[in-house]
Amino acid sequence: MLLPAVVALFVGQPCPPTSPGRPYFDFQVSTPAVYLGTDSTRVRPDESRHARRPYPADFALAQFVVDTIGVPVPGTLKLLMQPAGLSAESVMMAIIAWRYRPARVGACKVPQLVQAPLRWK
């Protein structure tokens, strides 16, 4: 009869429920998603959180969902700002290779809506 009490100690709090299509915003998570890229030959997110104004001609702002394994979800990309001649497909082809440390609420990994400023060359 001691076994259920011991199991209850290790179970902990359940993960918060999320419905498909409803990712968390950065203010709703305890640990936000973090870009883990180290490859300098690929297009990378611009490290500066605050873009300079006026925006350079090659500046783009992408918004997408990072899932619970740290991978951008392809159908969720929106270009909030894009330079002339840049298509959403070319941005998605670049960011699909990016990897993130997933966002967390407590100890649970959750999907998060991410905005990434890009310098497109």
Side-chain angles (χ1 to χ4, degrees):
M1 297 317 251
L2 184 59
L3 185 60
V6 172
V7 171
L9 289 175
F10 291 105
V11 172
Q13 295 289 331
C15 289
T18 58
S19 60
R22 295 279 184 177
Y24 287 83
F25 294 104
D26 60 351
F27 64 87
Q28 294 175 310
V29 297
S30 52
T31 306
V34 176
Y35 176 68
L36 296 176
T38 57
D39 185 4
S40 62
T41 62
R42 294 186 181 263
V43 175
R44 298 172 25 154
D46 193 355
E47 295 299 323
S48 63
R49 285 283 239 174
H50 306 287
R52 297 162 299 282
R53 290 191 183 206
Y55 297 113
D58 61 349
F59 180 79
L61 183 60
Q63 177 177 292
F64 51 91
V65 174
V66 173
D67 66 11
T68 58
I69 60 171
V71 178
V73 178
T76 61
L77 175 70
K78 279 187 182 178
L79 286 177
L80 304 177
M81 183 179 298
Q82 73 188 87
L86 177 65
S87 69
E89 292 82 23
S90 57
V91 173
M92 194 65 226
M93 292 305 294
I95 69 172
I96 198 71
W98 295 354
R99 295 299 173 256
Y100 285 79
R101 184 176 309 121
R104 292 182 178 265
V105 172
C108 301
K109 296 177 182 178
V110 295
Q112 181 190 344
L113 186 66
V114 172
Q115 287 186 3
L118 310 169
R119 294 298 299 271
W120 196 262
K121 300 204 183 232

